[in-house]
Each structure stands twice: as C-alpha cells, then as structure tokens.
Amino acid sequence: MKIEEIELKHISIPLKKPFKTALRTVETAENTVVLIHTDDGQTGYGEAPPTKVITGDTNESTIAAIRSSIRPALLGKDIANLEEIQDALQTATDRDFSAKAAVDMAVYDLASKRLGVPLYQYLGGYGNQVETDLTISINEPEEMEADAVAAAEQGFSALKLKVGIDSEKDVRRVACIRRAVGDKMKIRLDANQGWEVDEAIRTITRLEDLGLDIELVEQPVKARDFEGLKRVKDNVNTVIMADESLFSPRDALDLLQMQAADLLNIKLMKCGGIYNALKIAAIAETYGVECMLGSMVESKISLTAAAHLAAAKKIITRVDLDAAILLAEDPVMGGFEKEIPWFTLTEAPGLGITGVRGLTEIE
Ligand SMILES: [Mg+2]
C-alpha cells in the first residue's frame, strides 16, 4: 500500500450560529481536505481548518506546505512503515501543524484500513464511544443563558462557556447560566487567554465564593506565560487546564514538570496529528494528569479522527468535539455515529469515512 498521490480539496460548511470566543468569530467552516490515494486503490481522509489566531495556519499556508514540502517527502512511501512516514512528515516543514495533522490522520486512516481494523482499535482500543460537551459562544449573558438551556434540553451533561472578554460580566454570565441549568450540569469555562494573571485569580476565586461549581477553567492567561498559568493554578481551588499553552510533546513536559496545569487539552491541529498526540497522552499519563481531546471548527472528517483517538486512550477522559453539532450541515458519509451527547465509532476499517459531499477544487 504505497502513497500514489496527495490530493487537496476545499470544503465550506455554514455554522448554525456564529462561533464566538475571546479571540475570534467564525460563521462558516472553510477548511482544506486531504485525500491520500494509494497504489491499491484506497483513500485516506484528513482535514485542516485555518485557525490563524491559534495555530498560525491559513488555508493558503496549509496548501502550500502540503504541495511544496509534505507531498514530495511522502510520495511512494509504504503505509506499512508508519515511523518512516512520520519522520518524513513531521520534519518536512517547521510549523504548519494543521497541514501535518490533516496528512497524519489520512495516513492513520490508511494504516488501520490496511489491517482491516477501526482506527480506535489500531490506537489501543480502550473504548469505542466518547461523550462531548457543547460550547456556548461568548455573547450577552441572556443570550448565553438561552443557549445553555437549549443545550440542556438537547441532552448535554457538560457545557463549555466561552468567557475572557470582561471578567465582571463573565461572573454574571456564569451565575446566570448556573441558575438556569441547575446543579447537575457540568460547567467548564474557557477564557482563551483573555484574563491577566491577577484578574484570573480574582475572577476564579469570586466564582468559587459564589458556589458556582466550575469543573475546570481552560487557558485563563496568555499561551506562552507558563509561570502565570502556574500562579493561577497555585492560587485557586478550581482545576486549571492548559490549551493554547500546549502544542508539542515538549510543551507537555515543560508544563507538567513545572506543575503549571492540572489538565491538558490536546488538539490534533496544534500538535501536528495523532502521532504527537499519542506522545502527549503518554507524557500526561506518566504524570497522572488527565487529558481533554478538543477541536477547532472542523467537519466530521477530522472530528472522527479525534474521536477515534479519544476513545482509544484511557487517559483522555474529556471530549470537546462539538463542532459536529455547531455546523448546520454534515456532508461526511460514514465516520462516527452521533446520538447527543455521544459519538460512537463503527467497526468499519480506518476512520470509516466512505465519502464527502460538496468538495470543491482548489486552484
Ligand atoms: Mg480552549
């Protein structure tokens, strides 16, 4: 099973409502799709969203990286030799994490298809199901409350509230929502780097004093401020999770050696795919630190890859793959089966994706 061609396409899927965080607003997913074709007629699927404010990647940079660096390094390579392919892929360019992730998952799709097993089994097979939370975009407290109530009615048991623009208002947002959804709902907060260190400590302490029962707070401070992240963690009782601070396995080691985070949020688009995500998960497990598997604004192609990984590994205990629910359409045939809030992986080999509707040509 040799790599014969790496084809790129574009996919455009509107969101049900704009996705708003402290960093950005997205109205339509406009992503690059990777199809790796092999000499025996198989196709592996991958996807890269352009999340410039976090990963630095745009569709243009992803396409250029794959065409000029990754494709020439991988053509002709045998899918049986995963380590050889990963060595070529991960060193083909310096950054371009989303491009690497898209190609990496297509390679894993093929590697597990080659053995005739679903990817979650190829990666370890701890389980075949994941439960996702639902993200509530940052808006006026009343609108967020209405979105949270609708999510509870849909059957979600965990909500991730986007905060981090105005800490006074953030407390009001959370209080409103806790009152509206009751005690049983898990509430996670994601500040997307929006608070200063002292502001984060003050705000989280206030939420604690109000008894709002926050399960965890994600990335309260700037991505590269590991010292600041540690200072927040050391000065509050609430569990602190690193997201934008964590890209590589090296970052995971640094964060955990410093004891700067209680939890790690792994995203394929930050670490360059499943190959490095497995290393991060192994490091976290060694330190006894649980992981979340998160995503960007992605379609069911890359979300299925993430769900296989999350189901496969015991140390990945939380899942934030709700982009599948935020998108207005699902053009992906096959992949995981969705019954809110559960995603179940099928026994089909690889990712189990059989086709994608509406792919368009890239110039
Ligand atoms: Mg986050």
Side-chain angles (χ1 to χ4, degrees):
M1 193 188 266
K2 292 204 171 99
I3 297 177
E4 205 168 64
E5 188 51 276
I6 301 181
E7 191 184 8
L8 300 179
K9 298 273 189 185
H10 185 80
I11 192 165
S12 173
I13 312 173
L15 274 76
K16 288 175 190 160
K17 69 181 278 181
F19 179 77
K20 287 193 215 168
T21 77
L23 295 173
R24 64 192 181 125
T25 298
V26 185
E27 287 175 10
T28 309
E30 301 279 2
N31 299 348
T32 301
V33 173
V34 170
L35 300 109
I36 299 185
H37 303 291
T38 60
D39 60 353
D40 59 347
Q42 301 275 358
T43 300
Y45 290 90
E47 177 183 4
T51 319
K52 190 164 193 299
V53 287
I54 297 172
T55 62
D57 300 320
T58 62
N59 281 318
E60 292 70 27
S61 68
T62 292
I63 292 161
I66 293 174
R67 282 184 176 162
S68 63
S69 306
I70 294 173
R71 179 179 173 276
L74 263 55
L75 285 189
K77 293 232 179 315
D78 192 330
I79 291 294
N81 304 324
L82 184 72
E83 188 82 2
E84 187 200 350
I85 292 177
Q86 288 291 346
D87 179 47
L89 170 60
Q90 300 297 335
T91 57
T93 80
D94 185 24
R95 292 178 61 92
D96 298 303
F97 305 112
S98 305
K100 287 175 189 168
V103 172
D104 162 283
M105 69 182 70
V107 167
Y108 273 98
D109 184 15
L110 291 163
S112 42
K113 272 181 182 153
R114 182 179 158 270
L115 300 183
V117 296
L119 179 57
Y120 78 87
Q121 286 183 349
Y122 182 88
L123 297 176
Y126 182 67
N128 70 341
Q129 266 197 327
V130 295
E131 181 186 358
T132 188
D133 61 18
L134 186 76
T135 301
I136 306 294
S137 281
I138 188 159
N139 280 303
E140 287 304 309
E142 300 71 31
E143 184 174 352
M144 290 180 75
E145 183 187 327
D147 288 344
V149 169
E153 283 165 0
Q154 275 185 282
F156 289 97
S157 68
L159 299 178
K160 177 157 129 180
L161 314 184
K162 290 292 189 182
V163 293
I165 288 180
D166 171 344
S167 53
E168 287 289 312
K169 216 173 194 176
D170 286 337
V171 173
R172 286 219 308 284
R173 289 183 167 101
V174 179
C176 248
I177 289 168
R178 171 57 80 200
R179 205 177 321 117
V181 298
D183 296 342
K184 288 213 182 68
M185 181 70 78
K186 280 189 205 119
I187 294 185
R188 303 166 177 168
L189 303 187
D190 189 354
N192 287 108
Q193 316 175 49
W195 293 328
E196 299 301 323
V197 175
D198 291 335
E199 183 186 20
I201 295 169
R202 208 169 49 240
T203 307
I204 295 167
T205 304
R206 176 100 181 102
L207 295 167
E208 290 170 355
D209 292 345
L210 290 169
L212 294 173
D213 190 20
I214 302 307
E215 185 201 9
L216 60 92
V217 175
E218 192 172 327
Q219 199 66 45
V221 299
K222 294 279 173 291
R224 299 320 297 173
D225 187 8
F226 288 15
E227 291 289 344
L229 189 65
K230 178 175 170 53
R231 202 144 70 74
V232 176
K233 174 184 167 280
D234 288 346
N235 284 284
V236 300
N237 295 316
T238 305
V239 168
I240 301 296
M241 179 158 68
D243 181 5
E244 289 96 321
S245 292
L246 169 71
F247 272 64
S248 64
R250 178 76 241 177
D251 293 334
L253 262 183
D254 290 345
L255 287 163
L256 298 182
Q257 276 175 349
M258 282 176 66
Q259 299 185 294
D262 300 298
L263 296 170
L264 300 181
N265 189 345
I266 303 173
K267 291 176 182 164
L268 298 177
M269 300 305 152
K270 294 185 300 177
C271 67
I274 293 167
Y275 185 70
N276 283 330
L278 290 169
K279 293 182 193 172
I280 296 172
I283 291 166
E285 193 158 36
T286 307
Y287 279 85
V289 164
E290 294 178 6
C291 301
M292 172 181 275
L293 211 293
S295 70
M296 306 299 184
V297 181
E298 304 168 29
S299 87
K300 206 170 71 180
I301 300 172
S302 45
L303 293 176
T304 295
H308 274 281
L309 170 64
K313 305 308 292 183
K314 185 181 172 192
I315 199 68
I316 300 175
T317 53
R318 293 171 180 81
V319 164
D320 175 32
L321 299 177
D322 60 352
I325 294 149
L326 303 177
L327 296 177
E329 293 156 19
D330 177 14
V332 181
M333 292 173 272
F336 59 68
E337 288 170 356
K338 185 173 77 183
E339 191 174 339
I340 289 173
W342 293 92
F343 297 160
T344 304
L345 301 158
T346 71
E347 295 306 293
L351 295 173
I353 292 172
T354 53
V356 183
R357 285 183 291 267
L359 294 178
T360 54
E361 296 299 324
I362 293 169
E363 293 301 301

